[in-house]
Each structure stands twice: as structure tokens, then as C-alpha cells.
Amino acid sequence: MTQINWYVGEARFFRAWYYFEMFKRFGGVPLITKTMTVDDPDIFKVRASREELFQFILDDLDYAISVLRSADELNTAKEYGRISKTAALAFKSRVALFEGTREKFHNYGEQKKHLTIAKEAAEAVINSSAHALFTASAVGSHGEVINNAYFNLFQEAGEGRSNKENIIVKTYGINRDNSVISTPVQRYYEGNSVVPTQNFVDNYLMADGLPIEKSPLYQKPDKSMTHAQYFSKKDPRMSFSIFKRGDEFISSSNYTIPNPSYQRSGYGIRKYAKKDFWTLQASYIDRPVIRYAEVLLNYAEAVYELDGTISDMVLDQTINALRGRLPQVNIGTDAAPNYVSMPKLTNAFVNSNGLNMRTEIRRERKVELAFEGHGYWDLIRWKTAEIELPKALLGSYLFTEYLTATGDKWSDKTLVNDQNYIILQPATLRRFDKDRDYLWPLPTSELAKNVKLEQNPNW
């Protein structure tokens, strides 16, 4: 019976997962809890309310938590990748934070109740000691130790349970000789369909912990600056997540400058990019679906949104733990280097520099979880989509080297704004209706099948 419960727990976890995906997009949907025949009247069921569906998701997750095994019990080649008790708790923290903050900023529901659930679920993962931040460093070509654990997190193939940051992962093989399944992830990111924008890049702090609009370290780009120089003196996660000139790239060359045929924003995604796997056109890097860093960020945000305050002790446990695994940054010159660590986020630092704690907690989430599928849904739950999404979509500053590179290069007629940033899409072409677009429309095919379904407002 115990083993049967494991499988039932996994089934109910995935049912919760897929209902949550519909919940985020559509709100309430028909709630189906049984196998149906073609003449079952529940085929034409009405939509459950938002409250009913959310409680159903929580109930499924609570059952899964009660019967699933620990991550350490799944620490075998055969079992690794299955859903653990802490995986269900971590997902519960994501689910409850989504709805708790959405309720708070959209002004409905039981925000305190759901933010408390998010906080307690994240806290349970933390207190389990089953997971930890990935801290493995690499050895450079000259034998030096390179403290780039954040970068290596997206570079190591098939590391399994030895990487305790991964809570839920999409697993691949280990190498070409053991290739059960692989992914051409770097090839996806080389195209123009997924590119970083300047709108996002502006979130990265300078090495003094201040945003670009406040930091004396920030140098506005101009025609004398190179693409690589723009990355200097910034949070190291920018260089670990986005390509700059000189980075290892493909078998034939290091990264030169962005190619307008491939990265028309002027930025390319570096996460999951590895030369050996580019050559094979097959990557074996486990893809984190939920990692411990997200749990820490969920906890910090839930604590702050519950009470409007957060202690330095919690900041140290969460955001400062993430910053603590980053390498030092040179804020001097090559001739006179001055290496510093990213400063801690503290209440005193926020107050003395005229910062906003909520903004800084959200910023940390954006840069830590960059290109991992969270950004759009964060805008939805924070009710900032109506502010951010209608803005012009910008690429990088059009550096002179973009125009003078050999081979493929930008045209001198590239559309730029008055500050010389590439315009990917002008604001006149971007829309977000705050009275409609926070929910997606139900597909017309579903409405045609079931006349009892009601469309979301204003669609």
C-alpha cells in the first residue's frame, strides 16, 4: 500500500501542476476528478470558481506531501528525477505565493492566508536540510579556481543528487555514450525567438549593490565603449547569464559580438550554453524546473508581503545567501585592481540609499531566475504587466563595433531611440488591457464543445 501511495501522490502532484497551469492563465476551469465516458454529463461541466480550483490544487499537493518520499530516499540512478516530498512543498510555495500576491495587488481573496501558506511551505523545505545552494567551483585553464558556482549550475551534465540545489529537474542523459534523451537548448537560444532585452538588463545591480540610476560605478554607454565593457563592475550574474565578447562560445570561436541574424537585441542567452554540447547539437545539462534558490526567494517575498517588513536575519538566510556564492568583482582597473564582493541587502542599506525593499526583493528574483520562465507570471501577479508590457521593447546600445565588425553586422540604418538603443518593437505596437489581459481567453474550440463555459471578461 505504501508504494501505491507513492504513485498516487505523484499522480496528484502532476494533476495539481497542470491545473495550476490552467489556473494561472484562465482562472476557474471545469474541475474533473474522475475518468469519464463519452456520455458522462460532466463532459459539459461549468467552470469551477477560482477559489474552488485553487483549494483543489492545494488539497492535491497536501496529499502528495503526506505520502511522497524524501529527496534522499530517491538518491539512486533509478529513482532520481521522481517527485519528492520537498518538491511538492517547493511547488506549494510557488502556487501559494502566486495567488497570495495576486490577491494582494488585484484586491480580492484571502491574501494573508495564502501568503502564510507560501511562507510555511518554503520554510519547511529550508528546515528539511534536504537542499542547499550549488557551490561547486571550476578549475581554469591555468589551474586557478574559478568561483562561478552560479554559472556552473547551468553547465554541469547529469550531476544528479550531488547537486542539492535542483529540487525538480528535467533529466537528460550523461553524455553521448549514454544518450537516453538530450536537448538542443543552445540552438533554441541562438535564434531570434528568445533574446534578452535592455528592459531586462537594466535590472542588474552594479558591484556596489546600487541600481544603475544611483550607482557612481555606472557608466552610460557611448560610442567609445565596447559591448564587453558594458558588463564591467556589474552583478556577476549578468556575465553568467548573457554572452559578452570573449566568452567561450562554439568550437570554432569565442563569442565576438552579437549577430543581428541571431541576437537582434544585441544580447544572447548564456545559460545552458556549452561549447561541447553546441558541437554535438545535443545538451545533457539537467534543466532545473524548481531549484532551491527559488524557494529562498519565495520565502523572502512571502515574509515581506505578509507584514511589510523583513528582518536582516531573513535577508541573510535568503537573498544574501544567493549573493554570497557570487565571485568578487573588479571595480578598479587592470593596472590597479580592486576586488569587492556584492554587498548584502540590509534594511540599513536600503534606507541609507533611498531604495525600496519590495523593489529590491523583486529585482533579486528577476536576475537570479533570469530566463527560467518566471518573468511574465511575476508581472501578472504583481499587477505590473499593465505598466511594463506596453513599454517599447529595447535592445542594447548600438555600439560602434556592431557597425564595424567583419561579416554579419548591424546596418547603420538600424532603428534606434534618442539614446541610441535598438528598438525591437515600438510602444505604438504594444498593448495590455488591464481590464482584460490579466486572464487569457478560453479557446474558442473549447467554447464550441461546451456551451456551459463562459468566456473571461472583455474577450
Side-chain angles (χ1 to χ4, degrees), residues 187-233:
R187 292 294 176 141
Y188 297 151
Y189 285 165
E190 281 180 339
N192 267 321
S193 58
V194 184
V195 291
T197 63
Q198 190 66 46
N199 308 57
F200 168 72
V201 169
D202 283 344
N203 286 296
Y204 284 103
L205 295 169
M206 301 305 294
D208 57 7
L210 294 174
I212 58 175
E213 62 269 19
K214 287 181 173 286
S215 174
L217 295 177
Y218 179 65
Q219 181 182 350
K220 290 185 68 173
D222 57 37
K223 294 187 182 299
S224 67
M225 182 184 286
T226 66
H227 177 264
Q229 286 172 335
Y230 185 69
F231 286 68
S232 68
K233 303 180 182 180

